[in-house]
Amino acid sequence: MIQGTGSGVGKSLIVAGLCRIFRDRGVNVAPFKAQNMALNSFITKEGGEIGRAQALQAEAAGIEPSVDMNPILLKASGERSCQVIVNGKVHSNMEAKEYYSFKDEAWEAVKNAYGRLSSKYDLIVIEGAGSPAEINLCKDEVVNMKVARHTGAPVILVGDIDKGGVFASFYGTVGLLDGDAGYIKAYIINKFRGDLEILRPGLSMIYEKTNRPVIGVIPYLGDLGLHEEDGIPLERIKGLRGEGARAAKIKIVVIRLRYISNFTDFDPFMYEPDVDLLYSLWEGDIENADIVIIPGSKNTVKDLLFLREKGIEESLKRAVEKGISVIGICGGYQMLGRKIYDPYRIEGNHREIEGLGLLDIETTFERTKVTSQVEATLVKSSELGVQNKNTLKGYEIHMGVSKGETGLFRLKRISSNSSLVTRHLSLIMDGSSTGNVWGTYIHGIFDNDSFRRDIINSMRIKKRLNPVEEVLEYSGLRDGAMNGWAEILEENIDMKFIERLIGYHV
């Protein structure tokens, strides 16, 4: 089990790297995270919603993502409330006190999911959440030491030295855990910059004080180009600078919403050499972009009001008047319409709110959440300035139904039932476009290589630049990035120690 001294220390990617290392050694390995709190999610083939990090870890392990890998997913929908997803399906919205009274039911879901998963795989690499030493939460948690006790998993504790105080964090975590401290067997220091020789005395001292070794010091690597979970890496917020920005011909700005979800939808653009991708709320970026994207949101209404209050709505409208392409994905698509209706008050107290009015659609929030993988064909290709006829793949996660001038894409929703070995399909029209504005519910649409290149080339042609013929294979580039990360991890941690810890034999 990989636990951390806090959030954002690198647990998710270390689990993913270990899954790839053991997969390459021929081990039947799978990831597991009992409870995830993230707005970045993924839809499995059975139509269940899990954390995006577990989908990446499953990909690293070379297996199909499953709801058993993340039985509890919490998606913040406000300052104090979360949507609680159990075994891939929405259970309810809860505030913190309500969730703590739900902990016994949550724990049953965790135990059952782990039991199913462990019956299929020889090795489970478990990820914790936040810190195990939050002493006010230890009694009620279902994701850290309670999981270690239930599974008997030895724990490696990860700390981010770039945040400062890594040795104090190790020492304090062990000291606060009392009887559970015995599960912690070693430490990994992540994001180290500087001279390792200067660090070495600290490695010896923490061993002397806690009787646990540091089995790895991983260098600071910046943005690895792999899916993040807790937030957008700083490098992506800043975008390219200097020569890189001058070399890039197409500038894509993603609006940095307060409740942004599935920001990894735009990761494929990072690999395109003629694209400068950045996340911003600054009108100078928005009104000087080639493409502006309004991403998904866990609270569309609150984020729409946020754009309105900050003056970003007017900036977006000026961008449209300038001929800049504006794209909405899921919640962003809903915002682009004329109105949003919330009759059941799913997202707050507004039963009705004016949208940006840039697309001729209206959205109504329903009680039922759509979660499905999809295949799509582009019906109105000329309206996007592309001629892509390929079948597109992606997935839907939304509680709204949009009606009006739709029909940009024809969707085939796919859900699988392994017991019947059948596929149930339904056809639906999705998306809308008006002039240089378009939107869709399809997450992962830019993972489709030819479609992504066509969108970029349409901007190049608009700027009187020659289109680029080469189409990059995003899945292959991402897989290469994972291989590179696994190699770095293996070079910088004591794998022999881990092998002895789990009783691994070649």
Side-chain angles (χ1 to χ4, degrees):
M1 185 173 191
I2 302 298
Q3 294 187 13
T5 57
S7 296
V9 299
K11 298 184 296 292
S12 297
L13 287 180
I14 287 174
V15 169
L18 289 171
C19 284
R20 176 54 57 94
I21 289 168
F22 282 109
R23 185 211 73 167
D24 289 348
R25 296 183 180 190
V27 178
N28 189 24
V29 60
F32 180 76
K33 184 166 185 172
Q35 174 188 289
N36 203 339
M37 188 168 188
L39 294 181
N40 218 15
S41 60
F42 177 82
I43 301 302
T44 66
K45 277 192 173 177
E46 63 264 50
E49 189 173 3
I50 65 172
R52 185 80 203 195
Q54 281 61 66
L56 176 70
Q57 291 160 358
E59 183 181 323
I63 56 177
E64 190 66 39
S66 141
V67 295
D68 287 338
M69 296 170 186
N70 178 208
I72 306 291
L73 176 61
L74 307 178
K75 302 186 79 171
S77 54
E79 297 300 325
R80 299 177 61 185
S81 64
C82 282
Q83 184 181 76
V84 179
I85 296 164
V86 181
N87 293 322
K89 298 298 181 186
V90 174
H91 180 281
S92 60
N93 287 325
M94 299 184 193
E95 291 193 356
K97 287 185 179 179
E98 294 175 285
Y99 184 67
Y100 286 122
S101 67
F102 176 72
K103 67 181 186 299
D104 291 340
E105 190 174 337
W107 180 239
E108 285 303 309
V110 168
K111 289 192 297 182
N112 292 336
Y114 182 81
R116 290 188 295 268
L117 199 66
S118 61
S119 69
K120 299 175 185 176
Y121 297 94
D122 298 323
L123 174 64
I124 310 292
V125 185
I126 306 171
E127 180 184 346
S131 162
E134 302 292 351
I135 55 178
N136 58 313
L137 304 177
C138 286
K139 182 170 63 73
D140 297 314
E141 62 92 5
V142 296
V143 65
N144 285 314
M145 283 303 171
K146 193 166 186 175
V147 174
R149 291 194 299 272
H150 177 71
T151 62
V155 174
I156 296 172
L157 187 65
V158 179
D160 178 357
I161 197 170
D162 198 49
K163 293 181 177 180
V166 71
F167 291 119
S169 297
F170 287 154
Y171 187 79
T173 300
V174 170
L176 287 171
L177 283 174
D178 298 325
D180 285 333
Y183 285 95
I184 297 179
K185 305 301 181 184
Y187 311 113
I188 291 175
I189 292 175
N190 196 15
K191 302 182 184 179
F192 176 70
R193 315 179 195 226
D195 188 340
L196 187 58
E197 292 305 313
I198 296 174
L199 184 68
R200 288 195 190 281
L203 308 185
S204 301
M205 292 168 70
I206 197 67
Y207 178 78
E208 291 169 5
K209 290 181 179 294
T210 66
N211 199 33
R212 293 165 177 84
V214 175
I215 63 165
V217 178
I218 303 170
Y220 185 91
L221 300 167
D223 189 356
L224 292 167
L226 294 167
H227 294 323
E228 295 285 340
E229 175 182 76
D230 294 321
I232 304 163
L234 183 61
E235 293 86 351
R236 296 182 208 178
I237 293 173
K238 290 181 176 179
L240 297 175
R241 293 292 183 266
E243 291 184 10
R246 286 192 291 273
K249 304 298 184 183
I250 305 301
K251 181 178 179 180
I252 299 178
V253 173
V254 179
I255 302 297
R256 190 151 52 94
L257 302 174
R258 289 181 66 194
Y259 297 100
I260 187 171
S261 65
N262 289 74
F263 53 83
T264 48
D265 281 345
F266 317 111
D267 283 5
F269 288 117
M270 294 189 304
Y271 291 92
E272 298 290 354
D274 56 341
V275 168
D276 179 16
L277 173 71
L278 71 153
Y279 293 75
S280 179
L281 291 170
W282 183 47
E283 65 179 27
D285 288 328
I286 295 168
E287 295 178 38
N288 289 286
D290 296 297
I291 299 174
V292 176
I293 303 176
I294 309 176
S297 169
K298 185 59 194 72
N299 197 307
T300 302
V301 170
K302 285 185 178 178
D303 270 333
L304 177 56
L305 290 172
F306 171 73
L307 297 185
R308 195 157 281 157
E309 291 164 4
K310 298 297 182 182
I312 297 165
E313 176 180 17
E314 294 307 314
S315 185
L316 284 166
K317 290 180 177 178
R318 286 194 295 270
V320 172
E321 289 173 1
K322 290 180 178 181
I324 295 168
S325 179
V326 174
I327 301 169
I329 304 295
C330 197
Y333 170 44
Q334 295 169 341
M335 291 181 208
L336 288 171
R338 289 187 282 110
K339 284 197 175 182
I340 296 174
Y341 299 99
D342 191 1
Y344 307 110
R345 298 190 177 182
I346 290 168
E347 291 201 352
N349 295 322
H350 294 84
R351 290 187 179 273
E352 178 182 323
I353 187 170
E354 296 287 331
L356 298 175
L358 297 172
L359 289 177
D360 191 16
I361 60 167
E362 293 185 345
T363 298
T364 302
F365 292 145
E366 304 287 354
R367 286 194 173 109
T368 303
K369 191 174 193 177
V370 176
T371 58
S372 180
Q373 292 192 2
V374 300
E375 294 176 353
T377 53
L378 179 57
V379 177
K380 301 178 180 179
S381 57
S382 60
E383 295 192 15
L384 302 190
V386 305
Q387 297 300 320
N388 195 289
K389 300 296 183 184
N390 297 328
T391 298
L392 307 174
K393 294 184 177 181
Y395 54 97
E396 292 179 275
I397 315 172
H398 58 93
M399 299 188 80
V401 175
S402 297
K403 295 182 179 180
E405 290 297 320
T406 61
L408 186 59
F409 299 95
R410 183 179 292 109
L411 296 190
K412 183 188 292 183
R413 286 181 179 155
I414 304 170
S415 62
S416 65
N417 186 323
S418 58
S419 62
L420 298 176
V421 198
T422 60
R423 305 175 92 195
H424 304 288
L425 310 177
S426 60
L427 294 176
I428 191 167
M429 302 308 290
D430 166 79
S432 179
S433 64
T434 301
N436 50 320
V437 180
W438 64 273
T440 177
Y441 276 115
I442 306 172
H443 289 288
I445 191 169
F446 299 116
D447 287 20
N448 295 276
D449 301 322
S450 295
F451 179 79
R452 181 180 68 253
R453 175 39 59 186
D454 283 353
I455 292 293
I456 298 168
N457 278 343
S458 69
M459 293 297 105
R460 292 182 67 92
I461 292 168
K462 186 176 178 180
K463 297 178 73 170
R464 298 183 179 180
L465 298 169
N466 291 328
V468 172
E469 300 298 328
E470 182 183 5
V471 176
L472 299 182
E473 184 190 358
Y474 172 56
S475 62
L477 292 168
R478 189 178 63 230
D479 197 57
M482 180 59 71
N483 285 334
W485 163 236
E487 289 173 8
I488 291 167
L489 188 62
E490 194 164 14
E491 288 170 1
N492 289 281
I493 64 174
D494 186 351
M495 283 301 300
K496 293 294 183 185
F497 183 95
I498 294 176
E499 290 166 10
R500 291 193 299 270
L501 206 59
I502 64 175
Y504 169 76
H505 300 287
V506 178

